[in-house]
Amino acid sequence: MEDPAPPSEASNRPPRKRGRPPKHLPKEHDVDAENRDRTTEHADRESSPDEFDEARAKSKRSRASEGTSSVAYKPSDQTLIEVIKGNGKFIPHAVKFWVERYEKDPKPAMVDLLTMLFEACGAKYCDKSDLVDETDVDEVVIALVNCAKRGAVEDYQNSKKKEIKNFKENLESFWDNLVRECQHGPLFDQVLFDKCMDYIIALSCTPPRVYRQVASLMGLRLVSSYITIANMLGAQRETTRRQLDAEKKKRTEGPRVESLNKRFSDTHERITLLEEMMRKIFTGLFVHRYRDIDPNIRMSCIESLGAWILSYPSLFLQDLYLKYLGWTLNDKNAGVRKSSINALQNLYEVDDNVPTLGLFTERFSGRMIELADDIDVSVAVHAIGLVKQLLRHQLIPEDDLGPLYDLLIDDPPEIRHAIGALVYDHLIAQKFNTFQSGSKDETANTSEVHLKRMLRILEEFPQDPILSIYVIDDVWEYMTAIKDWKCIISMLLDENPSVELSDSDATNLVRLLCASVKKAVGERIVPATDNRKQYYNKAQKDVFENNKQDITVAMMKTYPLLLRKYISDKAKVSSLVEIVLHMNLEYYSLKRQEQVGEFFGVLFEIVHLMKDAFFKHGDKDPLRACVKAIDFCCIESQGELQDFARNKLKELEDEIIAKLKSAINEVVGGGDEYSLLVNMKRLYELQLKRSVPINSLYEDIVNVLRGSRNNMEDEVVGFLLLNMYLHLAWGLQSIANEEAVSGPSLTSLLCKRDTLLQELEYFLNLAADNKEEGKHGSELACRVCTILAETWFLFRTTNFSKTQLETLGYQPDANMLQKFWELCQQQLNISDEAEDDDVNKEYAVETNRDAVMIAAAKLIANDVVPKENLASEIISHFVMHGTSVSEIVKHLITVLKKKDVDLAFIFLEALKKAYHRLLVNISGSENGSSENNPLLGCKDLAAKLSGTFIGAARIKHRPDILKVVRNGIEYAFIDAPKQLSFLEEAVLHFVPKLPGPDLNEILNDVQQRTQNVNTEENPSGWRPYHTFIAYLREKCAKNEGFQDEKEGVSVRRRGRPRKRQNIPGKKLFDEQSSSEEEDSISAYEQDAQDEGRRQDDDDEDALLINSIRSSSKLRSLGVSREESNAQTKTGNSRRATDNLSASRTSVKGLVPKDV
């Protein structure tokens, strides 16, 4: 059924006649209502062509009688610009009133319209006498540009005034209503709109940005309105053609056929005229403004072009216009690129457009795929959606998608999830592969089919569980099969003979099952980049509870079977054991009475299997998972199950103590250390979660440590010290929780503390004596540093002063503290290659340079040791060891700024230490023994430290900055000119942070120091001094100039800044001319393409997935690709956070803050 056509244009009538207006003024502007009225009128005309003139005459009389009779609004009371700035609902009536005036007397009405056009741009054109006929467009526009130069413009579009907040929308509505009202006459008189378009095109090419913005808005809106009328006329032409064909079939000639022929001809002519008007604005306005210097103008141009192509494809859906969408895919502004992508998405959604887009797709599909890795996240996400459209139409080959799949492990979750949707649709659900429909797989279980395809994807990451988890997280939202826990369990238990799983497939499927369960109950499986806690509403929490119950039901009978099957596989057992943490154990007690015994038997078996798994493995992940699971059963279960779990835990503790005693005796007797190491790891993981009564074992641990420490493996020594420390921490918490502290328990704790400190001091001295550390030596040294710092923190004097536990307070002496920091420095200076060797170790995150720096910074942040010396030492390493260490030091500086400390002294001492290292490196370079990166020191440190004073911090910490500068100058002039380079290396970076008066004082002070000194005797030695003086003078001059500018503000004119006065005497707006802004972007296309190519230069040599696979920082996965390529030696802030958590594990939840 055809849509009703618009009013006919076939009849002969004066050009002033128009369609019927509404019979009354509506309370709100309703364009749809107007269109319905016009459509109804048109239907009447179509049914009775002879009555067409009579209907129009009635419409004319109706409008004439009602157009000026409104009581609520009188159009004559306001100018057109006032209507636009006012309430938008009066615009349709004001337009009708203006059209009536134009039909009666065109010239004054035209003057009013053009005046409104100029005023909408913000200008005021006073000479209106010859505006219509004699005056040339160029002359008028030049006068308007001169007005802008004088500042006589007002920017309505970007104004923040409340009364004109809808100016843009109202202006578009005005021109749209004007085109609609003029569609039966003035629109096609080739006078009114030609004159308006001439001025709009001319103003859109002027230097003042406000002119270009408003003129572009009006011009783009006119084309959209022309398209609306053209579509209406097109529908009418099609209707007329069908009627004409029907009449011709009757083989009768007469007035009706003649009338239809004339109507068809007139309608076609009007459509052709409208298309010419569209082309005029396109060539005169769009082709210049789509590359305007203002990104908002470019964005509006591209958005409009996309809408034009979609709504009027007969004209615009061709390469002549499509190429602009392709070119702007390289725009420097993210908003413009996104607008182009959105326009293309809308085009590809229409299947009929695809054949015409073939050549365009071939030319620009490569760039569309590249944009999926755009630097702007929102652009990348939209580009991925566009690639999905191309895949749906099979317009790009499979081989081109390789780089997209690497984005599955990208940092921004929005990009990862968008790629996950593409992977699911294309590779798992295979929605785009129509030729595969009806294949053998489709007849099988859908979940099994999808899971097998998912396993093929996970095969790309066989040795990397972290990357597998990323992929699972990406597709979880879209893949229903990943939540079909019964199907997954069935595949793992080999219940379906047709499904054969390899060992790697089974491992990936177990990981998928565990990750899916965690996601279903609202737990993150991929760390968040912002570390913010997730909050859920009630509806989400209800969904999670229902999922937990579904998981419990699915696992009720099959979970023990899974545990029993994979209990010896360390790659699978940890993930399987963790699943119990997300089950609803109370659900078992809610079953019917006859089922309770059966299900309790299942739970008893689960706990028993977890205990067996604990003693079958000696690796970190299985041990930690088993401890968490058993502890969860002890806390969350009820009744008999809780008692059973607690008994099993007690049995586990007794068994591990017995195994440890046996292992210690074996080592004392000269036996192997493996059993001792494994059981110490088990005890360590258990003590991280709960207190273990090893009082009887403590002395044995001390004895074996002292007796065999010289011959014992460093890893064994480390776990012996860790367990001693954890036992000490649990003992301190026990005493702190006692109402009355007993003397024997306090004495025992003190004895254990002193024993641990003695052992740590021994290894501290041993490391100081032997500076050449191997790989294992560095691991033990890290353990000694972290345990020593944690022990000092645990027994800090500020925690126990003026309490009955005051005797527990401890503070290390200066000698011990110095040895501690020297050992820390040794670990910080270990090469990246040596640290990377430890990446596959289980506890590498607890034994790297980040853990050491966190331990040292913790002493300062919590007032454990004096700040002056150690704080400056730590800060001097700010820029030496990569991003992760830098983040730790940055956090420490933030803490120090909140404390009452001499920040200037600490910063200056840190700079002195870095400067001293720089001098040593330079002298070493002269001797051929320079260390790596000798210049990574004072200058970079000074830049970092001065960069912490930004915004309001410059005012708040002005005394500290001034003190750093003055004392730094004092230090530099000691034994001048030997240390004058300190001015250039360190002090110079703090100078811009000071206000003008301070700079003048500093300049005078520095100059006075050289009044009686001949600086020409040693030019190279005094060069830093002259550089510093020149910099100070430059800053002082700039500050004076800024003050003069501020003083002159009150007498300067208002408005936009003055522009160049000289305007060429030629015409400004011929085809070859352009604005100043246009000239500055004349090479836009080439620049934009170059910019697009530069966006991915950092990654052109290696794909993301390859860089991550080969990275030594796999465990953190928090560093971005740009940062990874820029600093291959650095870690990331995520890693620093993980290390902080790891170093605090020993005391987290153990010792209250008030102990």
Side-chain angles (χ1 to χ4, degrees):
M1 181 176 181
E2 298 293 335
D3 295 333
S8 173
E9 304 297 335
S11 301
N12 295 325
R13 61 180 185 277
R16 296 174 55 193
K17 299 202 174 211
R18 299 177 294 108
R20 183 181 66 199
K23 294 185 178 180
H24 60 84
L25 179 66
K27 292 183 178 180
E28 294 185 2
H29 176 47
D30 190 349
V31 177
D32 293 336
E34 292 180 24
N35 292 337
R36 286 194 297 270
D37 291 342
R38 294 169 183 161
T39 303
T40 304
E41 179 183 344
H42 166 70
D44 295 340
R45 293 170 188 165
E46 289 294 339
S47 61
S48 180
D50 297 335
E51 298 176 1
F52 182 59
D53 290 337
E54 182 181 354
R56 276 180 35 251
K58 291 181 180 179
S59 172
K60 169 73 178 186
R61 289 193 297 271
S62 174
R63 186 186 65 216
S65 62
E66 297 182 13
T68 58
S69 62
S70 174
V71 178
Y73 170 73
K74 295 182 179 180
S76 59
D77 294 342
Q78 290 182 309
T79 62
L80 292 178
I81 191 64
E82 290 173 343
V83 172
I84 292 172
K85 292 193 292 185
N87 194 331
K89 69 180 182 180
F90 297 125
I91 289 177
H93 201 70
V95 170
K96 290 183 177 71
F97 181 78
W98 182 89
V99 173
E100 290 177 2
R101 288 182 53 219
Y102 179 81
E103 291 176 344
K104 293 177 182 178
D105 192 354
K107 287 189 177 182
M110 174 82 79
V111 169
D112 289 346
L113 182 63
L114 295 178
T115 301
M116 181 278 298
L117 191 155
F118 302 150
E119 290 177 339
C121 293
K124 294 183 179 179
Y125 186 75
C126 300
D127 187 10
K128 305 177 182 178
S129 57
D130 299 327
L131 194 60
V132 177
D133 296 327
E134 291 82 1
T135 305
D136 185 72
V137 172
D138 290 339
E139 295 178 3
V140 175
V141 174
I142 289 174
L144 294 174
V145 172
N146 290 330
C147 290
K149 291 182 177 181
R150 295 191 299 269
V153 293
E154 186 170 357
D155 189 354
Y156 295 120
Q157 181 173 344
N158 302 311
S159 175
K160 302 298 182 182
K161 295 180 181 179
K162 185 177 181 181
E163 56 270 18
I164 56 175
K165 64 180 180 180
N166 296 323
F167 177 81
K168 179 179 178 181
E169 292 77 9
N170 290 349
L171 184 61
E172 289 184 306
S173 175
F174 176 87
W175 287 102
D176 186 63
N177 278 275
L178 182 62
V179 171
R180 290 175 183 273
E181 283 298 317
C182 295
Q183 64 177 303
H184 301 302
L187 179 60
F188 303 101
D189 63 7
Q190 298 185 355
V191 176
L192 171 62
F193 281 91
D194 280 10
K195 180 68 72 172
C196 291
M197 287 190 295
D198 288 341
Y199 278 108
I200 287 173
I201 292 172
L203 286 169
S204 72
C205 296
T206 55
R209 183 172 300 196
V210 63
Y211 288 0
R212 301 200 313 277
Q213 287 177 337
V214 179
S216 299
L217 175 70
M218 293 187 289
L220 298 174
R221 180 68 257 178
L222 279 177
V223 175
S224 299
S225 299
Y226 293 162
I227 289 174
T228 302
I229 303 302
N231 283 328
M232 295 168 62
L233 291 174
Q236 176 184 330
R237 181 178 59 182
E238 182 63 22
T239 302
T240 304
R241 185 189 61 79
R242 289 198 304 269
Q243 292 177 341
L244 190 59
D245 291 342
E247 290 295 327
K248 288 180 179 180
K249 287 180 180 180
K250 299 177 182 178
R251 297 180 180 180
T252 57
E253 295 291 338
R256 180 168 178 79
V257 173
E258 183 180 351
S259 174
L260 288 173
N261 275 322
K262 180 169 179 52
R263 185 190 306 173
F264 182 86
S265 176
D266 290 346
T267 304
H268 181 74
E269 289 178 2
R270 296 193 175 197
I271 293 175
T272 303
L273 183 58
L274 282 173
E275 291 180 352
E276 288 299 324
M277 295 164 71
M278 296 178 204
R279 292 191 186 98
K280 180 177 181 179
I281 294 180
F282 185 87
T283 56
L285 186 150
F286 179 90
V287 296
H288 301 295
R289 297 283 65 79
Y290 92 96
R291 56 191 180 95
D292 193 280
I293 196 173
D294 187 345
N296 293 320
I297 296 178
R298 304 202 301 270
M299 196 184 314
S300 60
C301 286
I302 297 304
E303 289 174 350
S304 298
L305 178 60
W308 300 343
I309 299 174
L310 194 65
S311 58
Y312 203 64
S314 60
L315 174 63
F316 289 105
L317 187 60
Q318 50 183 310
D319 294 334
L320 176 65
Y321 302 100
L322 289 170
K323 64 184 180 181
Y324 296 99
L325 296 180
W327 287 344
T328 50
L329 291 173
N330 296 290
D331 195 278
K332 296 179 181 180
N333 182 268
V336 180
R337 297 197 300 273
K338 185 162 68 173
S339 299
S340 180
I341 292 170
N342 290 338
L344 291 173
Q345 276 186 291
N346 294 332
L347 292 180
Y348 282 106
E349 282 180 0
V350 181
D351 293 341
D352 294 339
N353 294 339
V354 174
T356 312
L357 291 167
L359 184 60
F360 172 84
T361 305
E362 183 181 351
R363 169 66 179 82
F364 292 102
S365 61
R367 178 56 184 160
M368 298 178 199
I369 296 174
E370 289 175 0
L371 284 172
D373 197 15
D374 193 84
I375 192 172
D376 185 88
V377 173
S378 62
V379 172
V381 171
H382 284 77
I384 294 167
L386 177 58
V387 172
K388 286 179 62 177
Q389 295 279 13
L390 298 178
L391 281 173
R392 184 170 69 89
H393 297 293
Q394 300 181 0
L395 296 175
I396 53 177
E398 179 73 26
D399 295 340
D400 292 348
L401 300 180
L404 291 187
Y405 297 147
D406 296 335
L407 299 178
L408 284 168
I409 49 177
D410 207 339
D411 287 335
E414 298 87 353
I415 294 179
R416 290 194 292 104
H417 294 157
I419 293 292
L422 184 147
V423 167
Y424 173 73
D425 290 342
H426 182 53
L427 298 180
I428 299 176
Q430 297 185 354
K431 295 180 179 179
F432 308 145
N433 299 344
T434 55
F435 65 89
Q436 292 190 3
S437 60
S439 63
K440 185 186 298 184
D441 282 345
E442 296 300 326
T443 61
N445 182 283
T446 305
S447 293
E448 285 187 3
V449 172
H450 288 185
L451 288 170
K452 285 190 288 186
R453 291 171 182 167
M454 182 67 177
L455 291 176
R456 300 290 77 77
I457 297 173
L458 294 179
E459 282 181 355
E460 296 293 325
F461 317 99
Q463 304 300 326
D464 197 345
I466 295 179
L467 299 184
S468 299
I469 294 300
Y470 267 65
V471 177
I472 294 168
D473 180 72
D474 298 339
V475 303
W476 190 87
E477 181 180 351
Y478 316 101
M479 186 175 173
T480 306
I482 210 172
K483 310 173 192 68
D484 191 347
W485 300 294
K486 290 185 178 179
C487 180
I488 297 174
I489 295 171
S490 174
M491 293 174 67
L492 286 170
L493 293 176
D494 299 328
E495 294 180 355
N496 187 350
S498 62
V499 179
E500 296 182 2
L501 297 179
S502 64
D503 184 67
S504 61
D505 286 342
T507 302
N508 285 326
L509 196 56
V510 168
R511 290 172 184 163
L512 185 146
L513 174 62
C514 182
S516 176
V517 167
K518 290 180 179 179
K519 289 284 291 183
V521 297
E523 184 176 325
R524 281 179 175 150
I525 61 175
V526 173
T529 55
D530 55 5
N531 290 325
R532 292 182 181 178
K533 183 179 178 181
Q534 280 186 307
Y535 293 95
Y536 300 105
N537 55 36
K538 186 178 182 302
Q540 289 173 316
K541 291 178 180 178
D542 291 341
V543 171
F544 296 151
E545 286 299 321
N546 293 334
N547 289 340
K548 184 178 289 189
Q549 185 167 322
D550 293 341
I551 293 167
T552 306
V553 172
M555 299 281 184
M556 193 168 285
K557 294 182 178 180
T558 55
Y559 188 51
L561 301 178
L562 284 175
L563 285 176
R564 190 178 297 109
K565 180 176 180 178
Y566 297 109
I567 193 171
S568 299
D569 193 332
K570 68 177 183 179
K572 304 177 181 65
V573 69
S574 56
S575 298
L576 284 175
V577 168
E578 285 185 0
I579 293 176
V580 76
L581 302 175
H582 310 289
M583 295 170 61
N584 184 5
L585 299 183
E586 295 181 359
Y587 181 77
Y588 286 86
S589 62
L590 300 178
K591 302 301 292 181
R592 294 192 302 271
Q593 187 65 34
E594 62 272 14
Q595 294 177 316
V596 169
E598 177 186 354
F599 291 126
F600 272 163
V602 172
L603 289 174
F604 293 161
E605 185 179 5
I606 291 173
V607 176
H608 181 75
L609 288 171
M610 289 175 182
K611 176 176 173 284
D612 290 347
F614 181 80
F615 285 106
K616 280 184 178 293
H617 298 280
D619 298 309
K620 171 187 171 182
D621 291 337
L623 293 177
R624 191 162 291 183
C626 290
V627 171
K628 287 169 62 177
I630 296 174
D631 187 70
F632 175 81
C633 293
C634 292
I635 296 173
E636 297 296 327
S637 59
Q638 297 178 354
E640 295 180 14
L641 176 60
Q642 188 178 59
D643 295 338
F644 181 81
R646 289 177 177 175
N647 290 334
K648 282 294 178 182
L649 185 59
K650 182 66 171 61
E651 292 177 7
L652 186 147
E653 292 174 355
D654 294 340
E655 186 173 349
I656 197 172
I657 292 173
K659 287 179 178 292
L660 275 171
K661 287 183 178 181
S662 175
I664 289 173
N665 292 333
E666 184 180 354
V667 172
V668 171
D672 188 53
E673 300 171 0
Y674 177 75
S675 177
L676 179 61
L677 174 61
V678 171
N679 286 289
M680 274 295 165
K681 285 184 179 181
R682 292 168 180 163
L683 179 61
Y684 171 66
E685 295 296 337
L686 194 56
Q687 284 202 101
L688 285 176
K689 197 68 179 177
R690 59 188 297 111
S691 175
V692 181
I694 60 169
N695 292 306
S696 61
L697 196 64
Y698 192 84
E699 289 298 326
D700 295 338
I701 293 175
V702 174
N703 291 334
V704 73
L705 185 60
R706 288 177 175 174
S708 308
R709 57 192 174 192
N710 293 329
N711 302 319
M712 195 177 293
E713 289 290 336
D714 289 343
E715 189 176 9
V716 180
V717 174
F719 277 100
L720 288 171
L721 293 173
L722 276 174
N723 281 293
M724 290 173 64
Y725 165 73
L726 288 174
H727 177 67
L728 193 64
W730 283 112
L732 179 59
Q733 186 190 35
S734 176
I735 289 180
N737 292 336
E738 292 180 4
E739 295 182 1
V741 180
S742 63
S745 60
L746 190 60
T747 303
S748 175
L749 184 65
L750 283 171
C751 180
K752 292 176 181 178
R753 183 201 68 185
D754 294 340
T755 302
L756 176 61
L757 289 174
Q758 289 172 10
E759 295 302 313
L760 291 171
E761 186 175 4
Y762 170 82
F763 289 104
L764 199 64
N765 295 328
L766 186 65
D769 295 337
N770 183 15
K771 298 293 181 66
E772 296 181 0
E773 297 288 344
K775 180 175 65 174
H776 298 291
S778 66
E779 180 182 343
L780 178 59
C782 286
R783 289 289 191 196
V784 171
C785 289
T786 54
I787 295 173
L788 193 59
E790 292 291 349
T791 306
W792 288 348
F793 169 77
L794 205 60
F795 291 93
R796 60 193 183 278
T797 54
T798 55
N799 214 27
F800 302 102
S801 60
K802 299 180 181 179
T803 67
Q804 58 180 341
L805 301 177
E806 191 168 5
T807 56
L808 291 176
Y810 178 84
Q811 185 171 12
D813 55 34
N815 184 39
M816 176 76 83
L817 189 60
Q818 182 63 29
K819 292 179 181 178
F820 164 78
W821 176 245
E822 289 176 358
L823 184 58
C824 289
Q825 279 187 310
Q826 290 181 27
Q827 306 314 305
L828 292 173
N829 292 328
I830 291 177
S831 65
D832 291 336
E833 291 76 11
E835 187 181 34
D836 290 346
D837 288 340
D838 292 338
V839 73
N840 292 323
K841 282 188 165 294
E842 296 175 291
Y843 297 93
V845 73
E846 300 176 16
T847 56
N848 54 21
R849 62 164 66 106
D850 295 350
V852 172
M853 183 58 82
I854 290 171
K858 189 175 182 180
L859 298 177
I860 300 299
N862 292 280
D863 303 320
V864 179
V865 297
K867 296 181 177 59
E868 286 70 18
N869 186 44
L870 185 57
S872 60
E873 290 280 6
I874 294 173
I875 293 173
S876 71
H877 287 260
F878 197 174
V879 295
M880 295 179 62
H881 308 293
T883 305
S884 56
V885 172
S886 178
E887 287 295 324
I888 298 168
V889 179
K890 184 178 179 180
H891 181 70
L892 175 63
I893 293 173
T894 304
V895 173
L896 290 176
K897 285 183 177 181
K898 298 177 182 179
K899 292 179 176 289
D900 185 18
V901 297
D902 191 349
L903 195 63
F905 174 81
I906 294 174
F907 277 14
L908 187 59
E909 288 300 311
L911 291 169
K912 290 178 182 178
K913 289 177 172 60
Y915 179 70
H916 176 70
R917 283 196 296 268
L918 175 62
L919 296 180
V920 172
N921 284 327
I922 292 175
S923 63
S925 176
E926 294 173 354
N927 297 329
S929 59
S930 174
E931 296 179 6
N932 292 331
N933 299 323
L935 298 179
L936 268 183
C938 193
K939 185 176 290 187
D940 294 332
L941 177 62
K944 277 282 190 179
L945 294 180
S946 62
T948 62
F949 300 111
I950 56 175
R954 295 174 59 178
I955 301 174
K956 180 180 178 182
H957 294 282
R958 173 183 163 273
D960 293 320
I961 302 172
L962 187 60
K963 187 176 179 180
V964 170
V965 174
R966 286 177 173 171
N967 293 352
I969 294 171
E970 189 73 30
Y971 174 76
F973 275 91
I974 297 175
D975 197 15
K978 290 184 178 180
Q979 298 181 165
L980 285 179
S981 58
F982 188 73
L983 294 174
E984 188 177 3
E985 295 290 332
V987 181
L988 193 68
H989 297 275
F990 290 86
V991 169
K993 306 296 181 180
L994 292 173
D998 291 338
L999 294 179
N1000 290 324
E1001 293 180 9
I1002 293 169
L1003 178 60
N1004 294 332
D1005 175 55
V1006 177
Q1007 288 176 334
Q1008 289 176 3
R1009 292 175 183 270
T1010 59
Q1011 284 183 349
N1012 301 321
V1013 179
N1014 184 9
T1015 60
E1016 300 298 329
E1017 293 181 354
N1018 187 0
S1020 61
W1022 287 93
R1023 184 196 57 79
Y1025 163 77
H1026 293 297
T1027 303
F1028 188 69
I1029 286 292
Y1031 186 77
L1032 279 175
R1033 287 173 178 165
E1034 180 185 354
K1035 284 295 178 183
C1036 291
K1038 284 185 177 180
N1039 283 322
E1040 289 174 1
F1042 180 70
Q1043 292 297 327
D1044 294 341
E1045 184 180 345
K1046 290 178 65 177
E1047 292 170 2
V1049 167
S1050 59
V1051 297
R1052 291 178 64 186
R1053 65 171 179 83
R1054 295 190 176 187
R1056 297 175 62 85
R1058 293 187 181 275
K1059 295 194 176 182
R1060 184 168 56 86
Q1061 295 290 338
N1062 298 326
I1063 295 182
K1066 65 176 183 178
K1067 286 189 176 184
L1068 293 178
F1069 308 110
D1070 56 16
E1071 292 182 357
Q1072 303 300 324
S1073 64
S1074 63
S1075 67
E1076 290 178 353
E1077 281 85 355
E1078 281 184 66
D1079 292 338
S1080 67
I1081 56 172
S1082 59
Y1084 165 76
E1085 293 175 24
Q1086 184 62 38
D1087 291 344
Q1089 294 174 5
D1090 292 343
E1091 177 70 16
R1093 286 192 294 267
R1094 284 195 298 270
Q1095 287 178 0
D1096 302 321
D1097 281 349
D1098 289 341
D1099 294 329
E1100 62 182 357
D1101 294 330
L1103 295 177
L1104 171 65
I1105 187 170
N1106 296 329
S1107 64
I1108 290 185
R1109 285 174 178 172
S1110 62
S1111 172
S1112 63
K1113 313 301 179 187
L1114 268 176
R1115 57 184 175 272
S1116 58
L1117 278 178
V1119 67
S1120 65
R1121 281 163 295 150
E1122 292 81 9
E1123 194 172 40
S1124 297
N1125 292 325
Q1127 295 186 17
T1128 57
K1129 65 175 286 186
T1130 62
N1132 49 51
S1133 57
R1134 161 71 52 196
R1135 181 175 151 199
T1137 304
D1138 294 342
N1139 290 330
L1140 179 60
S1141 302
S1143 68
R1144 292 179 175 176
T1145 304
S1146 56
V1147 293
K1148 184 178 180 182
L1150 303 182
V1151 183
K1153 293 183 179 180
D1154 56 349
V1155 174

